[in-house]
């Protein structure tokens, strides 16, 4: 737990203070080359081109990481293993700093620059949308895939879990690997399975740090617990709407119109700014829980 807390602090600090260095270190081009090599080796009808083929792509790098994780657990009273864990989590975090990407959208001087900056929040730039609900969903999807997914699986499985999640995301988000249709479908299903518990815990955190009633309303929907459901996105949109409405109501009591209050408090993209604030609150809550476990372990 202490190593996890240290690794997250390092990842956040370096990513924010030296984003170019962090992005340069977090390069995963080798995985795209590995996927293309597998494409070239296996013909149609092979295991690789089936629904479970993604397991073949993940097996080799995960075996290497797992062996290092086991081998480095004991040397120098575990210090080498802790260092390895910090390095792996830092490498799997991001790869870009979410806070800086959102700030780039908010600080853009014109509509064209704003759309270009917003494209960094989508895996494929052509899919970028500038409406408020889409931006909220994009922030939380990126928070899940850049922060919380890596953190959750690192907590459960150590460096092995962080690499497992990051490579699973890369297999789905890369647009230059030309995966077979069945392989790509299997990769999406596998990633959905990995992200389901993370999304549920993020939604719980959102209920605690945001508008509880709005989040609970989203949780009561019929498909809230479905593997491919949109629970997190729905809860985030509802919570952001409630937060903005409450802020506008507070200003309205002092004689300021709601539309003027929203622009004065949040700027031109109120949903985006509020979504980023909520994502930070959830992360701080998660880190606080981890810190409590660390302190309890020391006391025990």
């Amino acid at each position: 737990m202490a190593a996890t807390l240290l690794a997250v602090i390092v990842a956040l600090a370096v990513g924010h203070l030296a984003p170019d260095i962090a992005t340069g270190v977090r390069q995963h081009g080798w995985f795209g080359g590995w996927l293309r090599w597998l494409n070239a080796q296996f013909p149609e009808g092979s295991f690789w081109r089936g629904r479970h083929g993604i397991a073949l792509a993940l097996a080799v790098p995960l075996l290497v990481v797992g062996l290092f994780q086991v081998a480095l657990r004991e040397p120098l009273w575990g210090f080498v293993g802790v260092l390895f864990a910090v390095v792996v989590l830092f490498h799997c975090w991001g790869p870009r700093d979410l806070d800086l990407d959102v700030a780039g959208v908010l600080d853009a001087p014109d509509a064209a620059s704003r759309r270009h900056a917003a494209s960094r929040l989508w895996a494929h730039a052509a899919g970028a949308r500038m409406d408020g609900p889409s931006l909220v969903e994009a922030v939380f999807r990126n928070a899940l895939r850049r922060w919380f997914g890596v953190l959750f699986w690192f907590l459960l499985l150590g460096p092995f879990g962080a690499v497992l999640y990051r490579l699973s995301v890369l297999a789905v988000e890369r647009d230059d690997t030309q995966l077979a249709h069945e392989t790509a479908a299997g990769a999406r299903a596998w990633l959905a399975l990995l992200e389901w518990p993370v999304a549920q815990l993020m939604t719980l955190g959102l209920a605690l740090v945001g508008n509880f009633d709005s989040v609970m309303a989203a949780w009561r929907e019929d498909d809230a617990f479905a593997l491919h459901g949109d629970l997190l996105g729905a809860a985030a949109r509802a919570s952001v709407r409630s937060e903005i409405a409450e802020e506008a109501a507070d200003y309205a009591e002092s004689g300021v119109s709601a539309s003027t209050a929203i622009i004065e408090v949040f700027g031109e993209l109120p949903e985006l700014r509020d979504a980023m604030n909520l994502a930070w609150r959830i992360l701080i809550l998660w880190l606080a829980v981890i810190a409590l476990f660390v302190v309890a372990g020391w006391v025990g």
Side-chain angles (χ1 to χ4, degrees), residues 24-300:
V25 170
R26 295 164 180 162
Q27 294 297 318
H28 305 99
W30 64 269
F31 187 63
W34 168 239
L35 295 179
R36 288 190 293 272
W37 183 86
L38 289 172
N39 277 337
Q41 303 306 309
F42 294 94
E44 292 293 337
S46 62
F47 176 81
W48 164 244
R49 296 183 181 275
R51 190 169 181 82
H52 304 292
I54 191 62
L56 186 60
L58 298 175
V60 174
L62 288 175
L63 177 62
V64 174
V65 174
L67 290 174
F68 270 101
Q69 183 173 331
V70 172
L72 298 178
R73 184 177 299 168
E74 298 298 333
L76 294 178
W77 302 279
F79 174 77
V80 178
V82 170
L83 182 61
F84 176 68
V86 171
V87 170
V88 169
L89 183 61
F90 174 78
H91 185 69
C92 293
W93 202 260
R96 297 177 55 85
D97 185 273
L98 179 57
D99 204 34
L100 292 180
D101 279 354
V102 170
V105 180
L106 294 171
D107 298 338
D110 52 62
S113 300
R114 191 175 297 122
R115 177 169 290 276
H116 175 72
S119 67
R120 301 190 184 101
L121 299 177
W122 272 263
H124 309 298
R129 298 185 299 275
M130 294 303 298
D131 60 287
S134 295
L135 289 171
V136 171
E137 189 172 345
V139 168
F140 274 82
R141 181 178 59 252
N142 276 275
L144 189 157
R145 293 190 172 177
R146 299 191 195 190
W147 295 351
F148 295 99
V150 177
L151 178 55
F152 176 83
W153 288 105
F154 182 86
L155 283 169
L156 285 186
L157 302 175
F160 182 93
V163 174
L164 168 67
Y165 180 75
R166 176 53 59 214
L167 295 185
S168 299
V169 171
L170 289 173
V172 169
E173 290 190 344
R174 295 187 68 88
D175 59 358
D176 59 350
T177 56
Q178 300 178 345
L179 291 179
H181 176 73
E182 286 297 317
T183 310
R188 289 191 295 271
W190 170 244
L191 181 60
L193 184 64
L194 290 179
E195 290 183 339
W196 185 87
V198 188
Q200 297 292 328
L201 288 175
M202 286 180 66
T203 305
L204 176 60
L206 183 59
L208 296 176
V209 303
N211 187 285
F212 186 86
D213 292 335
S214 297
V215 175
M216 287 300 103
W219 223 328
R220 286 193 291 267
E221 294 295 326
D222 292 339
D223 63 345
F225 294 97
L227 186 61
H228 296 279
D230 186 33
L231 171 64
L232 181 60
R237 291 190 297 269
S239 189
V240 167
R241 283 196 303 268
S242 298
E243 293 253 329
I244 292 176
E246 289 174 5
E247 291 282 353
D250 290 341
Y251 271 73
E253 291 179 359
S254 61
V256 181
S257 68
S259 58
T260 301
I262 289 174
I263 293 175
E264 286 182 354
V265 176
F266 296 104
E268 294 186 13
L269 295 173
E271 298 90 350
L272 182 62
R273 190 184 303 273
D274 199 53
M276 190 68 243
N277 289 338
L278 285 171
W280 266 112
R281 287 187 226 167
I282 298 171
L283 181 60
I284 292 172
L285 175 64
W286 278 39
L287 295 180
V289 172
I290 294 172
L292 286 175
F293 276 103
V294 171
V295 173
W298 285 344
V299 172

